[in-house]
Amino acid sequence: MDRISKENYYLDIAETVLERATCLRRIYGAIIVKNDEIISTGYNGAPRGRANCSTLGYCSREAMRVPRGERYELCRSVHAEANAIISASRRDMAGGTIYLVGRDARTGELLADATSCSMCRRLVINAGLARVVIRRTKTEFDVVPVTNWVVEDDLLVPRDPDAILNEQ
């Protein structure tokens, strides 16, 4: 009998977690694992006690015509990575791995372009996680060292090197 890889094993679990998500656009599931132990899970949905988009029947960002990938502060949902991180202690997850799976809420198709938004990347960095494993297909995935997200600071404004030299 062929065994699946540990990465796909954990990604399968994260994919089951996303079945609790309540977003009408993209649904995500995440699990944090350290030393072969699941530390926490998370999926995207409204904060506890607030109405979910699936209950309301509309997406507030779509209603405001916000393009995908922009203005996440207008989203009702807490993202899967954030929910997994707030459900664990830093001491338990530092050095661990977060596994992430996304699906299109309408079609159910896996999101080959799934990734963490810039806000969640900051949370992953501060949580002390070492790796992010993101499902691309049923068997393929990318492994992202979190140090890449530290070095590739998405909030730095590119500057003209000549302008910097002229300032000195």
Side-chain angles (χ1 to χ4, degrees), residues 4 6-21 27-33 38 40-44 80-81 84 97-103 110 132-135 138:
I4 64 171
K6 281 281 176 121
E7 286 82 3
N8 276 311
Y9 167 72
Y10 289 125
L11 287 166
D12 285 349
I13 295 169
E15 195 164 344
T16 298
V17 171
L18 73 70
E19 293 177 16
R20 292 279 306 151
I27 53 177
Y28 279 88
I31 65 168
I32 296 174
V33 176
I38 297 172
S40 67
T41 67
Y43 55 87
N44 54 325
E81 303 95 317
T97 300
I98 188 165
Y99 293 83
L100 184 65
V101 180
R103 288 192 171 277
L110 278 172
V132 182
V133 179
I134 306 170
R135 175 160 274 168
K138 190 64 181 160

Side-chain angles (χ1 to χ4, degrees), residues 20-135:
R20 292 279 306 151
T22 60
C23 181
L24 297 175
R25 283 180 153 183
R26 301 179 119 201
I27 53 177
Y28 279 88
I31 65 168
I32 296 174
V33 176
K34 184 174 175 190
N35 298 328
D36 252 353
E37 181 180 349
I38 297 172
I39 304 298
S40 67
T41 67
Y43 55 87
N44 54 325
R48 286 179 175 89
R50 288 192 177 174
N52 289 300
C53 294
S54 59
T55 303
L56 294 172
Y58 69 91
C59 168
S60 55
R61 287 178 63 236
E62 280 183 355
M64 291 182 267
R65 295 191 172 105
V66 175
R68 195 183 70 126
E70 296 180 16
R71 306 291 314 268
Y72 285 117
E73 74 276 10
L74 299 174
C75 179
R76 294 189 66 76
S77 288
V78 177
H79 290 182
E81 303 95 317
N83 274 322
I85 289 167
I86 63 175
S87 294
S89 74
R90 188 176 193 285
R91 168 185 56 246
D92 291 340
M93 67 181 145
T97 300
I98 188 165
Y99 293 83
L100 184 65
V101 180
R103 288 192 171 277
D104 182 291
R106 292 176 182 95
T107 67
E109 298 287 322
L110 278 172
L111 299 172
D113 64 345
T115 191
S116 297
C117 73
S118 62
M119 292 186 300
C120 286
R121 287 180 183 203
R122 285 178 263 167
L123 293 173
V124 167
I125 291 166
N126 266 15
L129 293 163
R131 299 180 329 141
V132 182
V133 179
I134 306 170
R135 175 160 274 168

